[in-house]
Coordinates of all heavy atoms in Angstrom, one line a residue:
M1 N 0.8 -1.2 0.0 CA 0.0 0.0 0.0 C 0.9 1.2 0.0 O 1.9 1.3 0.7 CB -0.9 0.0 1.2 CG -1.7 1.3 1.3 SD -2.9 1.2 2.7 CE -2.0 2.1 3.9
A2 N 0.5 2.2 -0.8 CA 1.2 3.5 -0.8 C 0.2 4.6 -0.6 O -0.8 4.7 -1.2 CB 1.9 3.6 -2.2
D3 N 0.6 5.5 0.4 CA -0.2 6.7 0.6 C 0.5 7.8 -0.1 O 1.5 8.4 0.4 CB -0.2 7.0 2.1 CG -1.0 6.0 2.9 OD1 -2.0 5.6 2.4 OD2 -0.7 5.8 4.1
Y4 N 0.1 8.0 -1.4 CA 0.7 9.0 -2.2 C 0.4 10.5 -1.8 O -0.8 10.7 -1.5 CB 0.3 8.8 -3.7 CG 0.9 7.6 -4.3 CD1 0.1 6.6 -4.9 CD2 2.3 7.3 -4.2 CE1 0.6 5.5 -5.5 CE2 2.8 6.1 -4.8 CZ 1.9 5.2 -5.4 OH 2.4 4.1 -6.0
A5 N 1.4 11.3 -1.8 CA 1.1 12.7 -1.6 C 0.9 13.5 -2.9 O 1.3 13.0 -3.9 CB 2.4 13.3 -0.9
A6 N 0.3 14.6 -2.8 CA 0.1 15.4 -4.0 C 1.3 16.2 -4.3 O 2.1 16.6 -3.4 CB -1.1 16.4 -3.8
D7 N 1.6 16.4 -5.6 CA 2.7 17.2 -6.0 C 2.2 18.7 -6.0 O 1.2 19.0 -6.6 CB 3.2 16.9 -7.4 CG 3.8 15.5 -7.5 OD1 4.6 15.1 -6.6 OD2 3.5 14.7 -8.5
A8 N 2.9 19.6 -5.3 CA 2.5 21.0 -5.3 C 2.7 21.6 -6.6 O 3.9 21.7 -7.1 CB 3.3 21.7 -4.2
A9 N 1.7 22.0 -7.2 CA 1.8 22.6 -8.6 C 1.3 24.0 -8.7 O 0.7 24.4 -9.7 CB 0.9 21.7 -9.5
S10 N 1.5 24.8 -7.7 CA 1.1 26.2 -7.7 C 2.1 27.1 -8.3 O 1.9 28.3 -8.4 CB 0.7 26.6 -6.3 OG 1.8 26.5 -5.4
S11 N 3.3 26.6 -8.7 CA 4.3 27.4 -9.2 C 3.9 27.9 -10.6 O 3.3 27.2 -11.4 CB 5.6 26.6 -9.3 OG 6.6 27.3 -10.1
T12 N 4.3 29.2 -10.9 CA 4.0 29.7 -12.3 C 5.1 29.3 -13.3 O 4.9 29.6 -14.5 CB 4.0 31.3 -12.2 OG1 5.2 31.7 -11.7 CG2 2.8 31.7 -11.3
I13 N 6.2 28.7 -12.8 CA 7.2 28.3 -13.8 C 7.1 26.8 -14.1 O 8.0 26.2 -14.9 CB 8.6 28.6 -13.2 CG1 8.9 27.8 -11.9 CG2 8.8 30.1 -13.1 CD1 10.3 27.9 -11.4
G14 N 6.1 26.1 -13.6 CA 5.9 24.7 -13.9 C 6.5 23.8 -12.8 O 7.5 24.2 -12.1
T15 N 5.9 22.7 -12.6 CA 6.3 21.7 -11.6 C 6.3 20.3 -12.2 O 5.5 20.0 -13.0 CB 5.2 21.7 -10.4 OG1 5.2 23.0 -9.9 CG2 5.6 20.7 -9.4
V16 N 7.3 19.6 -11.9 CA 7.4 18.2 -12.3 C 6.4 17.4 -11.5 O 6.3 17.5 -10.3 CB 8.8 17.6 -12.0 CG1 8.9 16.1 -12.4 CG2 9.9 18.4 -12.9
L17 N 5.5 16.6 -12.3 CA 4.5 15.8 -11.6 C 5.0 14.4 -11.7 O 5.5 13.9 -12.7 CB 3.2 15.9 -12.4 CG 2.6 17.3 -12.4 CD1 1.3 17.3 -13.2 CD2 2.3 17.8 -11.0
T18 N 4.9 13.7 -10.6 CA 5.3 12.3 -10.5 C 4.2 11.3 -11.0 O 3.1 11.3 -10.4 CB 5.6 12.0 -9.0 OG1 6.6 12.9 -8.5 CG2 6.2 10.6 -8.9
P19 N 4.6 10.5 -12.0 CA 3.6 9.5 -12.4 C 3.5 8.4 -11.4 O 4.5 7.9 -10.9 CB 4.1 9.0 -13.8 CG 5.6 9.3 -13.7 CD 5.8 10.5 -12.8
R20 N 2.2 8.0 -11.1 CA 2.0 6.9 -10.2 C 1.4 5.8 -11.0 O 0.5 6.1 -11.9 CB 1.0 7.3 -9.1 CG 1.4 8.5 -8.3 CD 2.6 8.4 -7.6 NE 2.9 9.6 -6.8 CZ 4.0 9.7 -6.1 NH1 4.9 8.8 -6.0 NH2 4.2 10.8 -5.4
T21 N 1.8 4.6 -10.8 CA 1.2 3.5 -11.6 C 0.2 2.8 -10.7 O 0.4 2.6 -9.5 CB 2.3 2.5 -11.9 OG1 3.3 3.1 -12.7 CG2 1.8 1.3 -12.8
G22 N -1.0 2.5 -11.3 CA -2.1 1.9 -10.6 C -1.8 0.6 -10.0 O -1.0 -0.2 -10.5
T23 N -2.5 0.3 -9.0 CA -2.5 -1.1 -8.4 C -3.9 -1.5 -8.3 O -4.9 -0.7 -8.4 CB -1.8 -1.1 -7.0 OG1 -2.6 -0.3 -6.1 CG2 -0.4 -0.6 -7.1
A24 N -4.1 -2.8 -8.0 CA -5.5 -3.4 -8.0 C -6.2 -2.8 -6.7 O -7.4 -2.7 -6.8 CB -5.4 -4.9 -7.9
S25 N -5.5 -2.5 -5.7 CA -6.2 -1.9 -4.5 C -5.1 -1.4 -3.5 O -3.9 -1.7 -3.7 CB -7.1 -2.9 -3.8 OG -6.3 -4.0 -3.3
A26 N -5.6 -0.7 -2.5 CA -4.8 -0.4 -1.3 C -4.0 0.9 -1.4 O -3.5 1.4 -0.4 CB -3.8 -1.5 -0.9
D27 N -3.8 1.6 -2.6 CA -3.2 2.9 -2.6 C -4.2 3.9 -2.2 O -5.4 3.7 -2.4 CB -2.7 3.2 -4.0 CG -1.5 2.3 -4.4 OD1 -0.9 1.7 -3.5 OD2 -1.1 2.3 -5.6
T28 N -3.7 5.0 -1.7 CA -4.6 6.1 -1.3 C -4.0 7.4 -1.9 O -2.9 7.6 -2.1 CB -4.7 6.3 0.2 OG1 -3.5 6.7 0.8 CG2 -5.2 5.0 0.8
V29 N -5.0 8.4 -2.1 CA -4.7 9.7 -2.5 C -5.3 10.7 -1.5 O -6.2 10.4 -0.8 CB -5.2 10.0 -3.9 CG1 -4.5 9.1 -4.9 CG2 -6.7 9.9 -4.0
P30 N -4.7 11.9 -1.4 CA -5.2 12.8 -0.4 C -6.5 13.4 -0.9 O -6.7 13.8 -2.0 CB -4.1 13.9 -0.3 CG -3.3 13.8 -1.5 CD -3.5 12.4 -2.0
A31 N -7.5 13.5 0.1 CA -8.8 14.2 -0.3 C -8.5 15.6 -0.6 O -7.6 16.3 0.0 CB -9.7 14.1 1.0
G32 N -9.2 16.1 -1.6 CA -9.1 17.5 -2.0 C -8.1 17.7 -3.2 O -8.1 18.8 -3.8
A33 N -7.2 16.7 -3.4 CA -6.3 16.8 -4.5 C -7.0 16.7 -5.9 O -8.1 16.1 -6.0 CB -5.2 15.7 -4.4
Y34 N -6.4 17.2 -6.9 CA -6.8 17.0 -8.3 C -6.0 15.9 -8.9 O -4.8 15.9 -8.8 CB -6.6 18.3 -9.1 CG -7.3 18.3 -10.4 CD1 -8.6 18.8 -10.6 CD2 -6.6 17.8 -11.5 CE1 -9.2 18.7 -11.8 CE2 -7.2 17.7 -12.8 CZ -8.5 18.2 -12.9 OH -9.2 18.2 -14.1
V35 N -6.7 14.9 -9.5 CA -6.0 13.7 -10.0 C -6.3 13.6 -11.5 O -7.4 13.8 -12.0 CB -6.4 12.4 -9.3 CG1 -5.6 11.2 -9.9 CG2 -6.1 12.5 -7.8
V36 N -5.2 13.4 -12.3 CA -5.3 13.2 -13.7 C -5.1 11.7 -13.9 O -4.0 11.1 -13.6 CB -4.2 14.0 -14.5 CG1 -4.3 13.7 -16.0 CG2 -4.4 15.5 -14.3
W37 N -6.1 11.0 -14.5 CA -6.0 9.5 -14.7 C -5.8 9.3 -16.2 O -6.4 9.9 -17.1 CB -7.4 8.9 -14.4 CG -7.8 9.3 -13.0 CD1 -8.7 10.3 -12.7 CD2 -7.5 8.6 -11.8 NE1 -8.9 10.3 -11.3 CE2 -8.2 9.3 -10.7 CE3 -6.7 7.6 -11.4 CZ2 -8.1 8.9 -9.4 CZ3 -6.6 7.2 -10.1 CH2 -7.3 7.9 -9.1
R38 N -4.8 8.4 -16.5 CA -4.5 8.1 -17.9 C -4.4 6.6 -18.1 O -3.7 5.9 -17.4 CB -3.1 8.7 -18.2 CG -2.6 8.4 -19.6 CD -1.3 9.1 -19.9 NE -0.8 8.7 -21.2 CZ 0.4 8.2 -21.4 NH1 1.3 8.1 -20.4 NH2 0.8 7.9 -22.6
N39 N -5.3 6.1 -19.1 CA -5.3 4.7 -19.4 C -4.3 4.5 -20.6 O -4.6 4.9 -21.7 CB -6.7 4.3 -19.8 CG -6.8 2.8 -20.2 OD1 -5.8 2.1 -20.2 ND2 -8.0 2.4 -20.4
T40 N -3.2 3.8 -20.3 CA -2.3 3.5 -21.4 C -2.5 2.2 -22.1 O -1.8 1.8 -23.0 CB -0.8 3.5 -20.8 OG1 -0.7 2.4 -19.8 CG2 -0.5 4.8 -20.1
G41 N -3.5 1.4 -21.6 CA -3.8 0.1 -22.1 C -4.7 0.1 -23.4 O -5.2 1.1 -23.8
A42 N -4.9 -1.1 -23.9 CA -5.7 -1.3 -25.1 C -7.2 -1.5 -24.8 O -8.0 -1.4 -25.6 CB -5.2 -2.4 -25.9
G43 N -7.5 -1.7 -23.5 CA -8.9 -2.0 -23.1 C -9.3 -0.9 -22.1 O -8.5 -0.1 -21.6
A44 N -10.6 -1.0 -21.7 CA -11.2 0.0 -20.8 C -10.8 -0.4 -19.4 O -10.5 -1.6 -19.1 CB -12.7 0.0 -20.9
H45 N -10.8 0.6 -18.5 CA -10.5 0.4 -17.1 C -11.5 1.1 -16.2 O -12.1 2.2 -16.7 CB -9.1 0.8 -16.7 CG -8.0 -0.1 -17.1 ND1 -7.8 -1.3 -16.4 CD2 -7.2 -0.1 -18.1 CE1 -6.8 -1.9 -17.0 NE2 -6.4 -1.2 -18.0
T46 N -11.7 0.7 -15.0 CA -12.6 1.4 -14.0 C -11.8 1.6 -12.8 O -11.2 0.7 -12.2 CB -13.8 0.6 -13.7 OG1 -14.6 0.3 -14.8 CG2 -14.7 1.3 -12.7
V47 N -11.7 2.9 -12.4 CA -11.1 3.3 -11.2 C -12.2 3.5 -10.1 O -13.2 4.2 -10.4 CB -10.3 4.6 -11.3 CG1 -9.7 5.1 -10.0 CG2 -9.2 4.5 -12.4
T48 N -12.0 2.9 -9.0 CA -13.0 3.0 -7.9 C -12.3 3.8 -6.7 O -11.3 3.4 -6.2 CB -13.5 1.7 -7.4 OG1 -14.1 1.0 -8.5 CG2 -14.5 1.8 -6.3
L49 N -13.0 4.9 -6.3 CA -12.6 5.6 -5.2 C -13.5 5.3 -4.0 O -14.7 5.5 -4.1 CB -12.6 7.1 -5.5 CG -11.8 7.6 -6.7 CD1 -12.1 9.0 -7.1 CD2 -10.3 7.4 -6.4
T50 N -12.9 4.9 -2.9 CA -13.8 4.5 -1.8 C -14.3 5.7 -1.1 O -13.6 6.6 -0.7 CB -12.9 3.7 -0.8 OG1 -12.5 2.5 -1.4 CG2 -13.8 3.3 0.4
N51 N -15.6 5.8 -1.0 CA -16.3 6.9 -0.3 C -16.5 6.6 1.1 O -17.4 5.7 1.4 CB -17.6 7.2 -1.1 CG -18.2 8.5 -0.6 OD1 -17.9 9.0 0.4 ND2 -19.2 9.0 -1.4
S52 N -15.8 7.2 2.0 CA -16.0 7.0 3.5 C -17.0 7.9 4.1 O -17.2 7.9 5.3 CB -14.6 7.1 4.2 OG -13.7 6.2 3.7
F53 N -17.7 8.7 3.3 CA -18.7 9.6 3.8 C -19.9 8.8 4.4 O -20.5 8.0 3.6 CB -19.2 10.6 2.8 CG -20.2 11.6 3.3 CD1 -19.7 12.6 4.1 CD2 -21.5 11.5 2.9 CE1 -20.6 13.6 4.5 CE2 -22.4 12.5 3.4 CZ -22.0 13.5 4.2
A54 N -20.2 9.0 5.6 CA -21.4 8.3 6.2 C -22.5 9.3 6.5 O -22.3 10.4 6.9 CB -20.9 7.5 7.5
T55 N -23.7 8.8 6.3 CA -24.9 9.6 6.7 C -25.7 8.8 7.7 O -25.3 7.7 8.0 CB -25.8 9.9 5.4 OG1 -26.3 8.6 5.0 CG2 -25.0 10.5 4.3
D56 N -26.8 9.3 8.1 CA -27.6 8.6 9.1 C -28.3 7.4 8.5 O -28.8 6.6 9.2 CB -28.6 9.5 9.8 CG -29.5 10.2 8.8 OD1 -29.3 10.1 7.6 OD2 -30.5 10.9 9.3
T57 N -28.2 7.3 7.1 CA -28.8 6.1 6.5 C -27.8 5.2 5.9 O -28.1 4.2 5.2 CB -29.7 6.6 5.3 OG1 -28.9 7.4 4.4 CG2 -30.9 7.4 5.8
G58 N -26.5 5.4 6.3 CA -25.4 4.5 5.8 C -24.4 5.3 5.0 O -24.4 6.5 4.8
N59 N -23.4 4.5 4.5 CA -22.4 5.1 3.6 C -22.9 5.5 2.3 O -23.7 4.8 1.7 CB -21.2 4.1 3.5 CG -20.4 4.0 4.8 OD1 -20.5 4.8 5.7 ND2 -19.5 3.0 4.8
A60 N -22.3 6.5 1.7 CA -22.6 6.9 0.4 C -21.9 6.0 -0.6 O -20.9 5.3 -0.2 CB -22.1 8.3 0.1
P61 N -22.4 5.8 -1.8 CA -21.8 4.9 -2.7 C -20.4 5.3 -3.1 O -20.0 6.5 -3.1 CB -22.7 4.9 -4.0 CG -23.5 6.1 -3.8 CD -23.6 6.5 -2.4
N62 N -19.5 4.3 -3.5 CA -18.2 4.6 -4.0 C -18.3 5.4 -5.3 O -19.3 5.2 -6.1 CB -17.4 3.4 -4.1 CG -17.0 2.7 -2.8 OD1 -17.0 3.4 -1.8 ND2 -16.8 1.5 -2.8
R63 N -17.3 6.1 -5.7 CA -17.2 6.9 -6.9 C -16.4 6.0 -7.9 O -15.3 5.5 -7.6 CB -16.5 8.2 -6.7 CG -16.4 9.0 -8.0 CD -17.7 9.5 -8.4 NE -17.5 10.5 -9.5 CZ -18.0 10.3 -10.7 NH1 -18.7 9.3 -11.0 NH2 -17.8 11.3 -11.6
T64 N -17.0 5.9 -9.1 CA -16.2 5.1 -10.2 C -15.9 6.1 -11.3 O -16.7 7.0 -11.6 CB -17.0 3.9 -10.7 OG1 -18.2 4.3 -11.2 CG2 -17.2 2.9 -9.6
I65 N -14.8 5.9 -11.9 CA -14.4 6.6 -13.1 C -14.0 5.6 -14.2 O -13.2 4.8 -14.0 CB -13.1 7.5 -12.8 CG1 -13.4 8.4 -11.6 CG2 -12.6 8.2 -14.0 CD1 -12.2 9.1 -11.0
S66 N -14.7 5.7 -15.3 CA -14.5 4.8 -16.4 C -13.6 5.5 -17.4 O -13.7 6.6 -17.8 CB -15.8 4.5 -17.2 OG -16.7 3.9 -16.3
L67 N -12.5 4.7 -17.8 CA -11.5 5.2 -18.8 C -11.5 4.2 -20.0 O -11.2 3.1 -19.9 CB -10.2 5.2 -18.1 CG -9.9 6.2 -17.0 CD1 -8.6 5.8 -16.3 CD2 -9.9 7.6 -17.5
A68 N -11.8 4.8 -21.2 CA -11.7 4.0 -22.4 C -10.2 3.9 -22.7 O -9.4 4.6 -22.2 CB -12.4 4.7 -23.5
A69 N -9.9 3.0 -23.6 CA -8.5 2.8 -24.0 C -7.9 4.1 -24.5 O -8.5 4.8 -25.3 CB -8.4 1.8 -25.2
G70 N -6.7 4.5 -24.0 CA -6.0 5.7 -24.3 C -6.6 7.0 -23.8 O -6.1 8.1 -24.0
Q71 N -7.7 6.9 -23.0 CA -8.4 8.1 -22.5 C -7.7 8.7 -21.3 O -7.0 8.0 -20.5 CB -9.8 7.7 -22.1 CG -10.7 8.9 -21.9 CD -12.1 8.5 -21.7 OE1 -12.5 7.5 -21.1 NE2 -13.0 9.3 -22.3
V72 N -7.8 10.0 -21.2 CA -7.3 10.8 -20.0 C -8.4 11.6 -19.4 O -9.1 12.2 -20.2 CB -6.1 11.7 -20.4 CG1 -5.6 12.6 -19.2 CG2 -5.0 11.0 -21.1
K73 N -8.6 11.5 -18.1 CA -9.6 12.3 -17.4 C -9.0 12.9 -16.2 O -8.0 12.3 -15.6 CB -10.8 11.4 -17.0 CG -11.7 10.9 -18.1 CD -12.9 10.1 -17.5 CE -13.8 9.7 -18.6 NZ -15.0 9.0 -18.0
G74 N -9.5 14.0 -15.7 CA -9.1 14.6 -14.5 C -10.2 15.1 -13.7 O -11.3 15.3 -14.2
G75 N -10.0 15.1 -12.4 CA -11.1 15.5 -11.5 C -10.5 15.7 -10.0 O -9.5 15.1 -9.7
R76 N -11.3 16.4 -9.3 CA -10.9 16.7 -7.9 C -11.5 15.5 -7.0 O -12.6 15.1 -7.2 CB -11.5 18.0 -7.4 CG -11.0 18.3 -6.0 CD -10.9 19.8 -5.7 NE -10.3 20.6 -6.7 CZ -9.0 20.9 -6.8 NH1 -8.1 20.3 -6.0 NH2 -8.6 21.8 -7.7
I77 N -10.7 15.1 -6.0 CA -11.1 14.1 -5.0 C -11.9 14.9 -4.0 O -11.4 15.7 -3.3 CB -9.9 13.4 -4.4 CG1 -9.0 12.8 -5.5 CG2 -10.4 12.4 -3.4 CD1 -9.7 11.7 -6.3
N78 N -13.2 14.6 -3.9 CA -14.1 15.3 -2.9 C -13.6 15.1 -1.5 O -13.4 13.9 -1.0 CB -15.5 14.7 -3.1 CG -16.5 15.5 -2.3 OD1 -16.2 16.0 -1.3 ND2 -17.7 15.5 -2.8
P79 N -13.3 16.2 -0.8 CA -12.9 16.0 0.6 C -13.8 15.3 1.5 O -13.4 14.6 2.5 CB -12.8 17.5 1.1 CG -12.6 18.3 -0.2 CD -13.4 17.6 -1.2
N80 N -15.1 15.2 1.2 CA -16.1 14.5 2.0 C -15.9 13.0 1.9 O -16.5 12.2 2.7 CB -17.5 14.8 1.6 CG -17.9 16.2 1.9 OD1 -17.4 16.8 2.9 ND2 -18.7 16.9 1.1
W81 N -15.2 12.5 0.9 CA -15.0 11.1 0.7 C -13.9 10.5 1.6 O -13.7 9.3 1.7 CB -14.6 10.7 -0.7 CG -15.6 11.2 -1.8 CD1 -16.9 11.5 -1.6 CD2 -15.4 11.3 -3.2 NE1 -17.5 11.8 -2.7 CE2 -16.6 11.7 -3.7 CE3 -14.3 11.1 -4.0 CZ2 -16.8 11.9 -5.1 CZ3 -14.4 11.4 -5.3 CH2 -15.7 11.8 -5.9
A82 N -13.1 11.4 2.3 CA -11.9 10.9 3.0 C -12.3 10.1 4.2 O -13.3 10.2 4.8 CB -11.2 12.2 3.5
D83 N -11.3 9.2 4.5 CA -11.4 8.5 5.8 C -10.9 9.4 6.9 O -10.6 10.5 6.7 CB -10.6 7.2 5.7 CG -9.1 7.3 5.5 OD1 -8.6 8.5 5.7 OD2 -8.4 6.4 5.1
V84 N -10.8 8.8 8.1 CA -10.3 9.6 9.3 C -8.9 10.2 9.1 O -8.6 11.1 9.8 CB -10.4 8.8 10.6 CG1 -11.9 8.4 10.9 CG2 -9.6 7.6 10.6
N85 N -8.1 9.6 8.2 CA -6.8 10.1 8.0 C -6.7 11.1 6.8 O -5.6 11.5 6.4 CB -5.8 9.0 7.7 CG -5.8 8.0 8.9 OD1 -5.6 8.5 10.0 ND2 -5.9 6.7 8.7
G86 N -7.8 11.5 6.2 CA -7.8 12.4 5.1 C -7.4 11.8 3.8 O -7.0 12.5 2.9
R87 N -7.6 10.5 3.7 CA -7.2 9.7 2.5 C -8.4 9.1 1.8 O -9.4 8.8 2.5 CB -6.2 8.6 2.9 CG -5.0 9.0 3.8 CD -4.1 10.0 3.2 NE -3.5 9.4 2.0 CZ -2.6 10.1 1.2 NH1 -2.3 11.3 1.5 NH2 -2.1 9.5 0.2
V88 N -8.3 8.8 0.5 CA -9.3 8.1 -0.2 C -8.6 7.0 -0.9 O -7.6 7.1 -1.6 CB -10.0 9.1 -1.3 CG1 -10.9 8.3 -2.1 CG2 -10.7 10.2 -0.5
A89 N -9.1 5.8 -0.7 CA -8.5 4.6 -1.3 C -8.9 4.5 -2.8 O -10.0 4.8 -3.2 CB -9.1 3.3 -0.6
V90 N -7.9 4.0 -3.5 CA -8.0 3.8 -5.0 C -7.9 2.4 -5.4 O -7.0 1.7 -4.9 CB -6.8 4.6 -5.7 CG1 -6.9 4.4 -7.2 CG2 -6.9 6.1 -5.4
A91 N -8.8 1.9 -6.2 CA -8.7 0.5 -6.7 C -8.9 0.6 -8.2 O -9.8 1.3 -8.7 CB -9.8 -0.4 -6.1
I92 N -8.1 -0.2 -9.0 CA -8.2 -0.2 -10.4 C -8.4 -1.6 -10.9 O -7.7 -2.5 -10.4 CB -6.9 0.4 -11.0 CG1 -6.7 1.9 -10.5 CG2 -7.0 0.4 -12.6 CD1 -5.4 2.5 -10.8
D93 N -9.3 -1.8 -11.8 CA -9.6 -3.2 -12.2 C -8.6 -3.7 -13.3 O -7.8 -2.9 -13.8 CB -11.1 -3.2 -12.8 CG -11.2 -2.5 -14.1 OD1 -10.3 -1.7 -14.5 OD2 -12.1 -2.8 -14.9
A94 N -8.8 -5.0 -13.6 CA -8.0 -5.7 -14.6 C -6.5 -5.4 -14.4 O -6.0 -5.6 -13.4 CB -8.5 -5.2 -16.0
T95 N -5.8 -5.1 -15.5 CA -4.3 -4.9 -15.5 C -4.1 -3.5 -15.0 O -4.0 -2.5 -15.8 CB -3.7 -5.1 -16.8 OG1 -4.1 -6.4 -17.3 CG2 -2.2 -5.0 -16.7
A96 N -4.1 -3.3 -13.7 CA -4.1 -2.0 -13.0 C -2.9 -1.2 -13.4 O -2.9 0.1 -13.5 CB -4.2 -2.1 -11.5
S97 N -1.8 -1.8 -13.7 CA -0.5 -1.1 -14.1 C -0.7 -0.3 -15.4 O 0.2 0.5 -15.7 CB 0.6 -2.0 -14.2 OG 0.4 -3.0 -15.2
E98 N -1.7 -0.5 -16.2 CA -2.0 0.2 -17.4 C -2.6 1.6 -17.1 O -2.6 2.4 -18.0 CB -2.9 -0.5 -18.3 CG -2.3 -1.8 -18.9 CD -3.3 -2.6 -19.7 OE1 -4.5 -2.3 -19.8 OE2 -2.8 -3.5 -20.4
V99 N -2.9 1.9 -15.9 CA -3.5 3.2 -15.5 C -2.4 3.9 -14.8 O -1.9 3.5 -13.7 CB -4.7 3.1 -14.7 CG1 -5.2 4.5 -14.2 CG2 -5.8 2.4 -15.5
T100 N -2.0 5.1 -15.3 CA -1.0 6.0 -14.6 C -1.8 7.2 -14.2 O -2.7 7.7 -14.9 CB 0.1 6.4 -15.6 OG1 0.7 5.2 -16.1 CG2 1.1 7.3 -15.0
Y101 N -1.5 7.7 -13.0 CA -2.1 8.9 -12.5 C -1.2 9.9 -11.9 O -0.1 9.5 -11.4 CB -3.3 8.6 -11.6 CG -3.1 7.7 -10.4 CD1 -2.9 8.3 -9.2 CD2 -3.0 6.3 -10.5 CE1 -2.7 7.6 -8.0 CE2 -2.8 5.6 -9.4 CZ -2.6 6.2 -8.1 OH -2.4 5.4 -7.0
Y102 N -1.6 11.2 -11.9 CA -0.8 12.3 -11.4 C -1.7 13.0 -10.3 O -2.8 13.3 -10.6 CB -0.5 13.3 -12.5 CG 0.3 12.6 -13.6 CD1 -0.3 12.0 -14.6 CD2 1.7 12.7 -13.6 CE1 0.4 11.4 -15.7 CE2 2.5 12.1 -14.6 CZ 1.8 11.4 -15.6 OH 2.5 10.8 -16.6
I103 N -1.1 13.2 -9.1 CA -1.9 13.8 -8.0 C -1.3 15.2 -7.9 O -0.2 15.4 -7.6 CB -1.6 13.0 -6.7 CG1 -1.9 11.5 -7.0 CG2 -2.5 13.5 -5.6 CD1 -1.4 10.6 -5.9
V104 N -2.2 16.1 -8.1 CA -1.9 17.5 -8.1 C -2.5 18.3 -6.9 O -3.7 18.2 -6.6 CB -2.3 18.2 -9.4 CG1 -1.9 19.6 -9.5 CG2 -1.9 17.4 -10.6
G105 N -1.7 19.0 -6.2 CA -2.1 19.8 -5.1 C -1.7 21.2 -5.2 O -0.9 21.6 -6.1
G106 N -2.1 22.1 -4.3 CA -1.7 23.5 -4.4 C -2.3 24.3 -5.5 O -1.7 25.3 -5.9
V107 N -3.4 23.8 -6.0 CA -4.0 24.6 -7.1 C -5.3 25.2 -6.7 O -5.9 24.8 -5.7 CB -4.3 23.7 -8.4 CG1 -3.0 23.3 -9.0 CG2 -5.1 22.5 -8.0

C-alpha cells in the first residue's frame, strides 16, 4: 500500500509531476487533490474511489471513473470522501498497471 502525496503545482514556472502506476487496491490519495487519470492500455478500465462519507442512512456509494483505451480524465477528489486520515482509497480493475495517474495539489 502506498499513501501518495500530491505534487505541489502552484508554481508559475511549472512543476514536475510524479507519475503513479495503478495497483489493484490499497493505494490512497489525499482528499481535495486534483488527479489526472491516464489509461495507457488497449482496453477499458474502471477506477474506484472508496467513499468513506457516512450519513444517518449509511455510507454513500463509492465513486467510479470509467476510462476507455487511451483516455485521459481529470477531477478533484471530494474532501467528503476521506477516511479519518484524510485519505481516499484507490482501486483499479484488470491490469491496473496500465493506468497511470498524477496527483496535483496546491491549485
Side-chain angles (χ1 to χ4, degrees):
M1 175 174 97
D3 290 326
Y4 291 126
D7 293 318
S10 60
S11 170
T12 59
I13 60 170
T15 300
V16 174
L17 300 177
T18 306
R20 309 296 184 182
T21 301
T23 62
S25 65
D27 289 345
T28 67
V29 295
Y34 189 90
V35 180
V36 177
W37 309 94
R38 179 176 175 232
N39 180 358
T40 63
H45 283 284
T46 300
V47 176
T48 301
L49 302 171
T50 300
N51 188 343
S52 296
F53 183 73
T55 66
D56 57 352
T57 59
N59 285 350
N62 292 335
R63 176 72 170 118
T64 58
I65 302 166
S66 298
L67 295 167
Q71 192 171 42
V72 177
K73 288 185 176 181
R76 185 150 320 270
I77 305 298
N78 188 327
N80 291 329
W81 300 342
D83 63 15
V84 297
N85 297 312
R87 312 294 300 177
V88 175
V90 175
I92 302 169
D93 70 340
T95 308
S97 61
E98 293 178 346
V99 175
T100 301
Y101 55 101
Y102 302 84
I103 307 165
V104 184
V107 292

